Amino acid sequence: MGLKEALDRGFHVLESGGSSLDAVEIAISALEDNPLFNAGRGSVYTKDEKQEMDASIMNGKDQDAGAVASVSRVKNPIKLARYIMEHTKHVLMAGQGAEKIAKQGKLELVDPSYFYSEEKLKRVRKQKAKEIGTVGALAMDKFGNIAAGTSTGGMTNKLPGRIGDSPIIGAGTWAQNNVCGVSGTGHGEYFIRYNVAREICARMEYLGLSVGESTSQVIGQLTTMGVNGGVIVLDKNGKISMEFNTDGMARAYRNSKGEEMVAIYK
Ligand code: ASP
């Protein structure tokens, strides 16, 4: 499965002494290149039958962040998010302005036909509203730095111009050394309104909750409100929590002790 390949690539970076930021970028790029996931190549269609992708990346060391929204020609939105973080004064850039920066940074731009999928077109034509398949990754390197990233095509049948939680720092992505890293998937409007990623870390930071307790509380609240969602969370000790209130969420992890898990259903 593509998930294992992404895990291998990301973990290889960490094993070779690389940074958590590189590991997150490489793992997410692999998922963006795989048409099975709703990000990059496999992005779902808007109501106008186009793809508009969102992504973000955050460095827990200094809370630096980069994000991109509504891009249609960038092969790997996560790479552009990182480029924006490292080479511009801004955090979040959208649309054509963002694509211009991608060109400047010599990042790969592709013809929109690269993202074509007959199956996904059929789905948007049936107006099936929701779909979960956003990709995310978290990593902690040997220096204890936590990084987080998220990338998505958004929600099937979304209005052109709609931006979800994935490029919103604090909503879909959060990284803060000595506290936690989070990447989320689900109904983005609610993740924005409840600042889900930051909320999970804030409860750990201020209430002293464990990663499992904090994640369960916040996912529990989403469930109570009837909101679909899931998150992956990593704490400062390398402990993880991966919770969702949908039927499944493809997920995987590996740690330096060699413990590994790849799963979809509960
Ligand atoms: N959270 C994404 C969005 O609202 C969609 C998803 O995760 O499925 O854009």
Side-chain angles (χ1 to χ4, degrees):
M1 192 164 64
L3 205 53
K4 171 94 166 73
E5 191 195 322
L7 183 66
D8 287 344
R9 287 204 204 171
F11 203 78
H12 179 72
V13 172
L14 299 172
E15 265 177 340
S16 337
S19 72
S20 50
L21 214 51
D22 283 342
V24 162
E25 181 189 327
I26 279 169
I28 292 185
S29 296
L31 297 167
E32 286 176 338
D33 291 342
N34 185 331
L36 281 177
F37 299 96
N38 173 20
R41 178 135 194 226
S43 291
V44 297
Y45 285 90
T46 64
K47 201 171 169 46
D48 284 5
E49 303 187 358
K50 295 200 174 95
Q51 279 105 345
E52 293 179 357
M53 293 159 272
D54 300 337
S56 66
I57 195 161
M58 188 170 190
N59 187 354
K61 189 179 171 186
D62 51 7
Q63 287 179 228
D64 203 0
V68 62
S70 276
V71 289
S72 302
R73 298 198 311 127
V74 178
K75 184 170 179 247
N76 290 108
I78 196 71
K79 291 188 185 172
L80 180 54
R82 177 147 182 204
Y83 188 85
I84 288 167
M85 171 172 89
E86 290 176 342
H87 299 278
T88 77
K89 286 185 280 187
H90 306 308
V91 169
L92 172 59
M93 296 195 64
Q96 288 179 3
E99 289 179 356
K100 218 169 149 183
I101 295 290
K103 222 181 198 166
Q104 250 176 45
K106 301 199 166 46
L107 298 181
E108 197 170 347
L109 292 173
V110 290
D111 187 83
S113 61
Y114 168 80
F115 305 102
Y116 178 81
S117 155
E118 185 163 345
E119 187 201 325
K120 284 177 177 149
L121 253 185
K122 275 193 196 142
R123 239 177 289 168
V124 73
R125 285 178 183 159
K126 276 199 206 134
Q127 312 244 318
K128 210 178 145 200
K130 277 184 233 161
E131 173 146 7
I132 308 247
T134 293
V135 306
L138 307 170
M140 184 158 66
D141 58 30
K142 64 175 186 185
F143 307 106
N145 292 322
I146 295 174
T150 310
S151 181
T152 190
M155 290 171 78
T156 306
N157 204 32
K158 65 184 179 182
L159 288 178
R162 177 266 187 188
I163 295 168
D165 60 310
S166 308
I168 308 297
I169 298 301
T173 301
W174 186 258
Q176 186 180 1
N177 276 13
N178 297 314
V179 185
C180 80
V182 183
S183 174
T185 179
H187 198 152
E189 280 69 11
Y190 291 91
F191 275 63
I192 295 173
R193 288 166 54 191
Y194 294 95
N195 208 24
V196 166
R198 171 63 191 148
E199 178 68 23
I200 290 172
C201 288
R203 286 177 194 222
M204 293 168 67
E205 188 177 9
Y206 301 138
L207 301 178
L209 298 187
S210 71
V211 62
E213 288 165 344
S214 185
T215 305
S216 291
Q217 280 187 5
V218 174
I219 293 295
Q221 279 182 356
L222 292 178
T223 307
T224 310
M225 293 185 297
V227 176
N228 282 341
V231 289
I232 52 174
V233 189
L234 169 71
D235 79 3
K236 60 177 176 187
N237 300 314
K239 273 220 174 101
I240 56 149
S241 175
M242 306 198 271
E243 273 208 37
F244 50 98
N245 61 19
T246 48
D247 294 339
M249 179 175 84
R251 60 202 187 280
Y253 81 81
R254 187 182 301 156
N255 62 24
S256 53
K257 290 182 216 144
E259 294 162 347
E260 182 176 305
M261 184 264 249
V262 182
I264 297 183
Y265 303 103
K266 285 199 172 140

